[in-house]
Amino acid sequence: MAPGTPDDSGGGPSPGDALPDTPSGPAVPATPLPDADSGAEPPLSPLRPRASTALVVLATLAIGYTLWAAQDVILPILLAVFFALIGNPIIRGLQRMFIPRAIGAMLVLLLGLAGTVALGGQLVEPASEWARQVPREMRDLAPKLRELTKPMKAANEAAQDFARATDGEDGKPVEVVRTEVNDPYKSLTTTPMMIASVLAVVLLTFFFMVYGENLQRNALALLPTRQQKRVTVEIMQSIEREISRYVLTISVINAVVGLALAGIFYLLGVPLAEALLWGTMAMILNFAPYVGPLIGIVIMLMMGFVAFDELWMSLLPAGIYLGLHTLEGQILTPILLGRQMRLSPLVLILALMLFGWLWGIIGLLLAVPLLVCVKIVLARIEGLEGWATLFE
């Protein structure tokens, strides 16, 4: 048989044979082709199809709307998980003292409720007094504020006259009259719903403390591989450890700031119950970075103008509050929390705006712990570590 001619079977060179020499170079081995009869399939591409941008945007909007629409259900669960994460280290310490977990959870919950009720009982009277006093004091304060804002008001009126003369308008500005319809049944329905939400948070906190570990073990059993179970356990332990450390540390810091403010006000002649009211307000507002202290400064300005007659004494409460907050934010908190819990101010402001818009005051209080949780999860998942640096 002549070289290069097909054999009797009608086939050319087999897939495994080398191709003949060509003028450009030596023979090149042929790439073996998959055998159709063997049932072997070509390897699949490891890349998964990417979702379109429109689909991602729609999914994000749907998730945001769900978080807003279902806040009556989501917020009690998040608050309960938050409080359970705080109480779990204390419960484990009680277990080392041979106290059962259910009894330890009950003790922690009762102590927390007792402290809240005791503090609330001390603050009810001064808060009610201020609620009655503020409208009357604001009427007395109006002349002071008008005197302080007289230059700005005159400049504003001059600018309006100039703009009116330029546009050729000599008519009076249109007055808009708004009417408000008071629903007499609104207060009757709001109070029971608030009480039901508080009870739901208390019960959910207790059950998360007692049965949370069983729920975690059952959820881990659903994961298919040992590697996924190990990574999930590390993430859950890191979240619990870091959130507990952050919340306990920041709570102690805020309590110190509140007590210091209350002590300074008491030395200035403010009654003790009223001083505790302002100290508690400062402690709670300090849980919302940037936004809380800004609201606190405004409240301190109003309180100073109401409580004192002289201008420098009226500005003194706001100055004291600003000084304490600066000392805490620039020295105390960075030393105690360190770099690990540092968050970018821009990301923090955006998160405060987002969660405050979604869930109001509770969203402002939960924004930082939720950001910390997201940062921990991203730092523990392989391939997403770089995204965690965006939060720093």
Side-chain angles (χ1 to χ4, degrees):
M1 181 181 299
T5 59
D7 55 8
D8 295 338
S9 62
S14 62
D17 295 338
L19 297 178
D21 294 342
T22 60
S24 61
V28 180
T31 302
L33 300 176
D35 189 0
D37 297 334
S38 63
E41 297 181 356
L44 298 176
S45 174
L47 298 178
R48 294 180 296 179
R50 296 177 62 88
S52 64
T53 304
L55 185 60
V56 173
V57 172
L58 290 176
T60 304
L61 293 176
I63 293 174
Y65 177 77
T66 303
L67 292 175
W68 173 78
Q71 59 182 308
D72 292 338
V73 178
I74 294 175
L75 288 183
I77 297 175
L78 286 179
L79 286 174
V81 172
F82 181 67
F83 293 142
L85 287 175
I86 299 173
N88 276 337
I90 304 174
I91 295 173
R92 291 197 184 96
L94 294 176
Q95 283 183 304
R96 297 189 189 98
M97 301 170 62
F98 304 101
I99 297 177
R101 187 173 186 84
I103 298 178
M106 183 65 70
L107 290 176
V108 171
L109 195 60
L110 289 177
L111 288 176
L113 290 175
T116 303
V117 171
L119 182 61
Q122 293 290 328
L123 302 180
V124 166
E125 183 176 352
S128 302
E129 180 63 27
W130 266 93
R132 292 190 300 267
Q133 185 180 357
V134 164
R136 182 179 67 252
E137 295 292 342
M138 290 302 294
R139 287 193 297 269
D140 298 336
L141 183 61
K144 298 181 183 179
L145 296 178
R146 281 198 297 267
E147 190 68 24
L148 291 175
T149 59
K150 186 180 292 185
M152 292 184 289
K153 185 177 180 181
N156 188 24
E157 290 177 354
Q160 289 180 357
D161 293 340
F162 178 77
R164 196 177 299 117
T166 304
D167 296 338
E169 298 177 359
D170 53 359
K172 295 181 178 180
V174 179
E175 295 183 0
V176 180
V177 179
R178 294 183 177 90
T179 59
E180 181 180 357
V181 179
N182 295 322
D183 187 1
Y185 299 101
K186 186 176 181 180
S187 59
L188 296 178
T189 58
T190 303
T191 304
M193 290 178 61
M194 186 182 301
I195 295 175
S197 299
V198 172
L199 291 177
V201 171
V202 172
L203 291 177
L204 286 173
T205 302
F206 176 75
F207 286 117
F208 273 122
M209 286 179 177
V210 177
Y211 302 106
E213 290 187 349
N214 293 333
L215 182 62
Q216 293 178 11
R217 284 194 293 267
N218 294 334
L220 290 173
L222 299 176
L223 298 177
T225 63
R226 184 181 297 273
Q227 176 69 14
Q228 291 178 348
K229 294 179 180 179
R230 183 182 65 81
V231 172
T232 305
V233 169
E234 290 179 356
I235 291 175
M236 296 171 67
Q237 290 177 350
S238 298
I239 288 176
E240 181 177 342
R241 181 174 60 253
E242 297 298 333
I243 292 297
S244 300
R245 174 174 171 263
Y246 169 80
V247 173
L248 289 175
T249 304
I250 207 69
S251 299
V252 172
I253 292 173
N254 294 343
V256 170
V257 171
L259 289 174
L261 185 66
I264 295 174
F265 281 179
Y266 181 71
L267 293 177
L268 292 177
V270 179
L272 179 60
E274 188 175 329
L276 288 177
L277 173 65
W278 301 123
T280 304
M281 181 214 67
M283 180 185 70
I284 295 174
L285 289 177
N286 222 32
F287 280 99
Y290 302 109
V291 178
L294 183 61
I295 297 174
I297 290 175
V298 174
I299 295 176
M300 288 293 103
L301 282 174
M302 295 176 58
M303 176 266 202
F305 280 111
V306 169
F308 302 101
D309 295 329
E310 299 180 3
L311 179 60
W312 73 273
M313 285 295 294
S314 301
L315 298 177
L316 186 60
I320 294 172
Y321 178 80
L322 181 60
L324 287 175
H325 173 68
T326 303
L327 182 65
E328 172 265 325
Q330 300 299 323
I331 299 177
L332 194 59
T333 300
I335 291 176
L336 295 179
L337 289 180
R339 175 177 168 78
Q340 187 175 3
M341 303 300 291
R342 186 177 299 173
L343 296 172
S344 169
L346 178 59
V347 175
L348 192 55
I349 288 293
L350 293 176
L352 289 170
M353 292 176 60
L354 176 61
F355 289 109
W357 173 72
L358 281 176
W359 298 329
I361 297 298
I362 299 179
L364 293 176
L365 298 179
L366 292 178
V368 177
L370 289 176
L371 273 184
V372 172
C373 291
V374 173
K375 181 181 177 183
I376 292 173
V377 172
L378 292 176
R380 294 296 191 279
I381 296 179
E382 185 178 358
L384 297 179
E385 300 92 342
W387 290 94
T389 59
L390 293 178
F391 291 80
E392 298 180 355

